[in-house]
Amino acid sequence: METVQSLLNPQGNEPNPELEKPQSPLWSAMKRFPFRDPDFRDRREAAQAGFLMLVLASAVFGVMMTLVLVYCINIPQMAELERYRPNTTTELYDIHGNVFGSFAIERRVVVPYSDIPPVLREAILSIEDKNFESSGGINPIRLVGAAYEDLHSKGKAQGGSTLTMQLARNLFLSSEKTWGRKLQEIYLTLQIERHFTKQQIFTLYANQIYMGHGTYGFEAASEYYFSKHAKELTLPEAALLAALPKGAEYYSPVRNPERALRRRNLVLSEMQNDGKITAEEADAARAAPLGLRLEAPANSEAPYFVEEVRRQLERDYGVEEAHGAGLRVYTTLDLDLQRVANKAVLDGTATYERRHGWKGHLQNVLAQGDDYKHPDWTQPIVVGAYFHALVTEVDAEKMVVRIGMQSATMGPGDWQWTTHTKATDLATLGDIVYVRVTEAGPGGVKVALEQDSGAQASMMAMDNSNGEVLAMVGGRDFALSQFNRATQAQRQVGSSFKPYVYTAALESGMKVTDTVLDTPTTFQTPSGPYTPHDYERGSFNGSMTLINAFAESRNIPALRLADKVGIKKVIDVAHQFGVTSNLPPFLPIAIGAADMTLYEQVGAYAAFPNDGIRIEPHFIRRVVTPDGAPLQQKAPEMHEAVSLDIARQMMILLEAVIQHGTAARAAAMNHAFGGKTGTTNNYTDAWFIGFSPSITCGTWIGFDNRQSLGEKETGAEAALPMWMDFMKVAIADRPDEQFAKPNAPKKQLEVQQATEGVTPPIIVKPFTPEEAYEDDTQKEPSTPAPNKPAPSNPLQYKCLRRLQHLLHTRLRTALAIHAKQRFGPTRSQQQPRLGCIFLVRADPIFEKEFHAIQSLNAQHLHPGNFILASNQFLRSPDRTLLHWVIDVHIHAAILVLAIFFLQRGHQLTECLLLVRHHVREQQTVQQAIAFR
């Protein structure tokens, strides 16, 4: 066999003619470039070769420039970055200036360069970009090395990005690893370096970078991880924060403490190698623990109040501005009273539960093992707090439970109220029990057994003089149910409706000393004979004054008065007091057979001590931009609900309830009070609405499914004690206040005036080419889209489009917030491009409606605007997402059902009644009615 060498040179020095190929003179000439041979410079082949090489070079240059234009033509100009306003956190302040809540798409606190301490700056530069101060933004050696690694690893694992390149990518580009994106990144980096100083670049980076757990920027991260400002950080803390930009979730000290510790120590080593710290400082910092002091969860003290503020901000200023413009919202909340209200509601429901004994029926999560996390475990463990705890060990004499990472042991004294002597009679391994924290400190946590059988309660308090809502509790546990029972739950009000009946009677000319009969009677109504009875069946008091009949809450006198003046007159009076709920003109309405909200009742009752003036309860005093400019704001609505004379006569009746009526136990507080109890049939709802000269407070207790509270659970028994616990603190600093005397001048009110401020701030974001798709929030056309039938009813069509817009706004905002918090900076390819994202609850009762919506091809509502996610998605192991879905999908279900029935030609009020019949859960029903 011939060798390769023999083929190349079979005769030794002579070339093999079989292997030689003829070459063109032009190619031979090109290989002799740059034509320095004297005998070759003037030859014709040299000229042709030079021309051809020039053409090739021009082509290569043209291709490169085309690539640059393709990748860079749509990237933003630096002028956009100069006016760039990042998403920042909207903060809520109480009346004392304390921050109690916030919400944001990106939780960020923007700080200037001077507030970034040197130790943090040095730590960041040591690990991210050692040559930041001297380089032009590009490190060619790192880029070449990264490209080499990418080629040999057949991937793109190496970035080679400087700090400025990271800033460019985070501000303008996606996180995909492509050569085109890297080219754009380099171009933007050079532009940023040209237009901004190093201090400005570093400040932008320090405020923009994602730091994990929904926080952006080092200031927000410092507050989250260490509960302090960035300028107060120690060396180990600064090194830990500097370690996070590499992979905020991967190196999270909360989820992966060991990994975070190794990365922090790497930062310390780099700082030591750079001469930023000494070996002794580095060793001491390495020996220090992570030292996390996680910030308390946002909105944990007044979550229902925060939600009401959020809804109003979105309604007044828009979703983007409310969540991302860094607004400073000065609210009406008194945080001290809010804490009192929280305790009163929790203690009141716990007392009710104890009265009815141990019921058991506990949820068991043994199959979930150590992965189980209850939603309320995110709350801080403090004395007096209530938690759902996991039973990890149980025997006859003790029960060991776990709350998050904390364990506590209960003994027989902690469950004595149950009348059971053995813990094994109460719970088994893996059960979820309800407990109250009795001790919490360095020595551990102690708890006592309580019970959560499903009873709910709500409370709302407002300042009589100006309508400001001072405290609000919408339920027992916001982590389990975001439904606000103070503003959204329409429940039968029972005898708490009677003030409107007696007001109508006084307006018709009666006096408080007039008499009315409390005797058996039958009323003739359009639906047939109606024979009422009182709370105490078979007990009648005969002739009674209006004062005594009202104080003792007698039903038949109230019905006689309503029948005399006319039920429509009573309903008109209720509307004068600001009641907006639907009140059908039936006589039983006079004794509370009507559904109303606690919000309506508190606002209405406050008119009595206000000498007949009703002020709309409101939650916000003023809103300002981050620069301090006030935003435009409407003044609360105020009108005369009833005359001064009638209001003061009604005060005699309302005070009598406290002095010798159904709420007489409150008289022991020795203060000027008025109010009214309320109890419904079968004891399903218990109310007390009462007031002092300065504050009106209302309480309600019941079950969401409207089951009975139990025998004798009246407003005085179940609701009044919560009201008393709150009012004891609320009036503590005003012991001598009194109601106005009969001949005193009319009360002067201090109502907030409208604010003439600037227009809402606009969040300026850098434009990215991926955002150049059709805007799904554009204004609605004045006429239906082509190829769609014209709406038969323009008002109906307007309602339909409004509902569709509400669904889109609610879900898209919530989805964006969750994605930012869960996955870090969202990229355009991750963001929804359809009008609405709808997450379907795993509940077959909605299946019929969803199939109907999918078939609406010929209707005005485009079915393509909905993505109906499958049940498998909702069963995903992402518990955070499932918890978020609970907050969102119920609202979405109501809107979708409303749209569905509007499509079928139903009127809006009829539509909501149909929703009631198509939704089983009482909580969802209440939201449907409240939506109207």
Side-chain angles (χ1 to χ4, degrees), residues 375 478-480 482 878-888:
F478 185 82
L480 289 179
Q482 293 77 43
D878 186 349
R879 298 294 170 187
T880 304
L881 180 58
L882 286 175
H883 178 57
W884 166 74
V885 170
I886 291 172
D887 183 30
V888 175

Side-chain angles (χ1 to χ4, degrees), residues 109-125 132-133 163 167 196-208 218-219 229-232 276:
V109 180
V110 176
V111 295
Y113 183 83
S114 59
D115 282 353
I116 305 172
V119 65
L120 179 58
R121 294 199 297 265
E122 292 167 354
I124 295 170
L125 296 181
F132 172 72
E133 297 291 347
L163 188 144
L167 174 63
F196 297 95
T197 66
K198 289 293 185 181
Q199 285 192 4
Q200 291 173 325
I201 294 171
F202 189 89
T203 303
L204 283 170
Y205 173 86
N207 287 308
Q208 180 67 26
F218 287 92
E219 176 66 21
H229 296 294
K231 58 186 177 183
E232 300 169 348
K276 303 294 179 59

Side-chain angles (χ1 to χ4, degrees), residues 812-847:
R812 188 176 184 192
T813 302
L815 186 66
I817 293 173
H818 172 76
K820 291 266 185 178
Q821 295 177 341
R822 178 67 179 169
F823 304 110
T826 55
R827 304 304 171 194
S828 58
Q829 65 267 25
Q830 297 171 324
Q831 295 172 353
R833 299 192 180 187
L834 295 175
C836 300
I837 299 295
F838 180 52
L839 302 176
V840 181
R841 184 170 57 162
D843 193 331
I845 66 173
F846 293 118
E847 183 177 358

Side-chain angles (χ1 to χ4, degrees), residues 9 51 57 67 135 269 285 351-352 368 385 394 400 403 497 511 521 571 623:
N9 193 0
F51 176 75
L67 289 174
S135 72
S269 298
T351 301
Y352 161 80
Q368 299 184 31
V394 61
V400 181
I403 306 171
F497 187 87
K511 302 297 182 183
T521 187
I571 292 174
V623 182

Side-chain angles (χ1 to χ4, degrees), residues 106-108 124 128 163 166-167 169-171 202-212 215-221 241 244-246 248 825 827:
E106 298 177 353
R107 192 164 295 279
R108 175 187 286 109
I124 295 170
E128 294 294 335
L163 188 144
Q166 293 180 50
L167 174 63
R169 180 172 65 248
N170 277 276
L171 282 173
F202 189 89
T203 303
L204 283 170
Y205 173 86
N207 287 308
Q208 180 67 26
I209 199 70
Y210 180 62
M211 300 294 289
T215 60
Y216 291 76
F218 287 92
E219 176 66 21
L241 293 187
L244 296 180
K246 175 74 173 178
R827 304 304 171 194

Side-chain angles (χ1 to χ4, degrees), residues 39-106:
D39 60 341
F40 190 71
R41 291 178 182 171
D42 298 330
R43 293 180 57 182
R44 185 164 174 259
E45 289 85 355
Q48 292 177 345
F51 176 75
L52 183 58
M53 294 184 71
L54 182 61
V55 171
L56 290 174
S58 300
V60 171
F61 180 76
V63 170
M64 293 179 64
M65 292 304 298
T66 300
L67 289 174
V68 171
L69 289 175
V70 167
Y71 286 113
C72 300
I73 192 170
N74 284 330
I75 61 179
Q77 301 298 315
M78 288 303 103
E80 296 182 35
L81 184 56
E82 290 174 359
R83 64 175 184 270
Y84 169 54
R85 179 190 290 271
N87 284 320
T88 50
T89 303
T90 293
E91 292 186 333
L92 278 57
Y93 297 83
D94 81 334
I95 60 175
H96 304 298
N98 302 310
V99 177
F100 68 90
S102 63
F103 37 83
I105 297 176
E106 298 177 353

